[in-house]
Amino acid sequence: MGKLRQALDRVLTGLEAEHGESIPLSADYYWVADPHALYDLSSAPSAGQFTVGQLSDDIANLDEILGYEDGFVSAWHDLAHLVGILHRLATQDLP
């Protein structure tokens, strides 16, 4: 976990240096594939395996995560919200 934390910190520090402390995400809704479908390469995900995520919900969840007194509620849930934000940051940095 230490390497992952260090790598994320390095990337986020670089983004902050390049774009400033606040980066407008300029979108809200996005597609999310069923996590089980993402790692089953035996077939392509079907339309029914997609749902919609919402960046404003992901951002609101940041405060919830930071407010947890006992670590986190659910790793899969909290990570899913963080991934939504990180994926949007990555797509905005595309050339």
Side-chain angles (χ1 to χ4, degrees):
M1 289 295 200
K3 284 185 179 182
L4 178 60
R5 184 177 291 111
Q6 185 179 10
L8 282 170
D9 184 55
R10 190 171 287 187
V11 170
L12 292 174
T13 298
L15 275 173
E16 188 175 26
E18 214 172 288
H19 300 283
E21 188 174 311
S22 179
I23 301 172
L25 297 177
S26 65
D28 197 12
Y29 295 96
Y30 59 92
W31 290 111
V32 178
D34 178 317
H36 301 301
L38 288 174
Y39 298 96
D40 178 6
L41 299 183
S42 64
S43 62
S46 67
Q49 291 177 302
F50 286 89
T51 187
V52 173
Q54 190 173 5
L55 284 167
S56 56
D57 185 45
D58 297 337
I59 292 165
N61 192 256
L62 285 174
D63 289 330
E64 290 180 31
I65 292 170
L66 295 173
Y68 296 158
E69 293 183 17
D70 297 325
F72 60 88
V73 170
S74 173
W76 74 264
H77 178 262
D78 293 342
L79 286 170
H81 282 291
L82 295 174
V83 165
I85 295 167
L86 292 172
H87 193 259
R88 182 59 186 160
L89 289 172
T91 59
Q92 286 186 186
D93 198 55
L94 288 171

